[in-house]
Amino acid sequence: MSKSRTTFYTGLVIIVTFGITIYAQWNEISDAFGWNEAEYVTYAEGDPVVHFVNSRDRPASAQNAARFIPFEFDYPASWDDWPGREGTTVFLTGPKYRGADTRMLMIAPVMLTRPGAQGEQRRESIREVMDQIATSFGGSSQDFQLLSSGPQMLGDRETTGFRFAYLERPDPGEGGDPMRLFGRGDIVFPAEGDLGIYVIALGTEAAPEFFTSADIDDDPGFTLIFDTLRIGEAELAHGKAAE
């Protein structure tokens, strides 16, 4: 065998051995930090779900008890439920990917209409202040971008809301790279009364599926929540009613 061919095969063996070593070490590192893609769990139709009911049994102060509004929905069993302070707000987080959150959802009670406003009057009351609501939501981030504001659809339900994106920067001293988040906010009212819910849905660039806020509409996990959401006594008693 010629010297050049021997050198070639020797080099090839070194490269392959080095590659196998790096691959093994990377797998160990990935396992330690939960970065392996095999551990990334997303929801698919037919997977186990959890039925959430916002009932009066959840503890609340007298002030917040007056703001109680019944609602219910299904969410993927792979998500985590973090009940908010005094039982008035619900937080959900989806599965992590490479140690970072991929999906987040918040539902909180809200009252923004003029007393006695109904139908289109009620929606117009919300439209008048929607930009202010969106700006207030993004006030803590210098990188907040309001992409749109006005009527939109949450599942098959008409709402008034906004689309946005912002950059979440790590706290000083923590290190790490900024993360882009995409989201939508919706004000949802039941068929009766002036108290509704404020829904914020967030997807992060940590999830391979998310590139814009529109991707939230196509995500099976968010779709499950939006399609099963019922709000108010009438909807809970008779199924979701179209306004």
Side-chain angles (χ1 to χ4, degrees):
M1 183 179 295
S2 67
K3 181 177 181 182
S4 60
R5 186 173 297 180
T6 301
T7 302
F8 171 79
Y9 282 117
T10 301
L12 183 61
V13 170
I14 293 173
I15 290 172
V16 171
T17 302
F18 180 76
I20 292 174
T21 302
I22 292 298
Y23 179 78
Q25 291 178 344
W26 176 251
N27 272 340
E28 291 179 4
I29 294 172
S30 298
D31 287 337
F33 286 92
W35 289 351
N36 274 336
E37 292 189 23
E39 297 180 3
Y40 179 47
V41 179
T42 57
Y43 173 76
E45 187 175 354
D47 287 350
V49 302
V50 175
H51 184 65
F52 178 89
V53 178
N54 188 43
S55 71
R56 292 189 183 276
D57 295 335
R58 300 179 71 202
S61 65
Q63 178 181 4
N64 284 331
R67 299 177 63 209
F68 172 82
I69 181 166
F71 60 84
E72 64 182 23
F73 58 88
D74 294 337
Y75 68 89
S78 58
W79 291 33
D80 292 319
D81 167 22
W82 304 89
R85 182 169 59 89
E86 295 186 325
T88 59
T89 304
V90 178
F91 296 100
L92 296 176
T93 55
K96 292 182 180 293
Y97 183 51
R98 295 184 175 177
D101 287 322
T102 60
R103 296 159 177 81
M104 290 168 275
L105 183 118
M106 180 199 78
I107 299 180
V110 63
M111 179 183 288
L112 291 170
T113 63
R114 296 184 297 269
Q118 297 294 325
E120 185 59 29
Q121 287 183 328
R122 186 167 57 188
R123 294 188 181 93
E124 188 59 33
S125 297
I126 297 299
R127 294 186 188 122
E128 291 173 357
V129 295
M130 184 50 62
D131 283 353
Q132 299 175 28
I133 295 171
T135 302
S136 175
F137 174 81
S140 61
S141 173
Q142 296 179 348
D143 302 291
F144 181 80
Q145 294 177 294
L146 179 60
L147 304 177
S148 65
S149 175
Q152 56 186 22
M153 300 295 294
L154 188 75
D156 61 357
R157 183 194 299 269
E158 292 184 5
T159 69
T160 300
F162 59 98
R163 303 287 181 129
F164 61 91
Y166 69 92
L167 199 64
E168 184 176 69
R169 300 182 183 275
D171 293 333
E174 283 192 356
D177 297 324
M179 178 180 292
R180 179 69 60 183
L181 290 88
F182 314 96
R184 61 175 295 166
D186 292 87
I187 303 296
V188 185
F189 279 84
E192 74 290 335
D194 293 320
L195 189 65
I197 58 175
Y198 183 22
V199 181
I200 294 288
L202 284 169
T204 81
E205 66 177 359
E209 301 91 341
F210 292 116
F211 296 94
T212 71
S213 64
D215 294 325
I216 290 175
D217 303 346
D218 299 324
D219 181 73
F222 282 123
T223 298
L224 170 68
I225 295 169
F226 299 157
D227 287 348
T228 59
L229 177 65
R230 292 186 172 90
I231 173 175
E233 300 289 355
E235 288 191 17
L236 267 63
H238 305 294
K240 187 167 65 176
E243 289 195 358

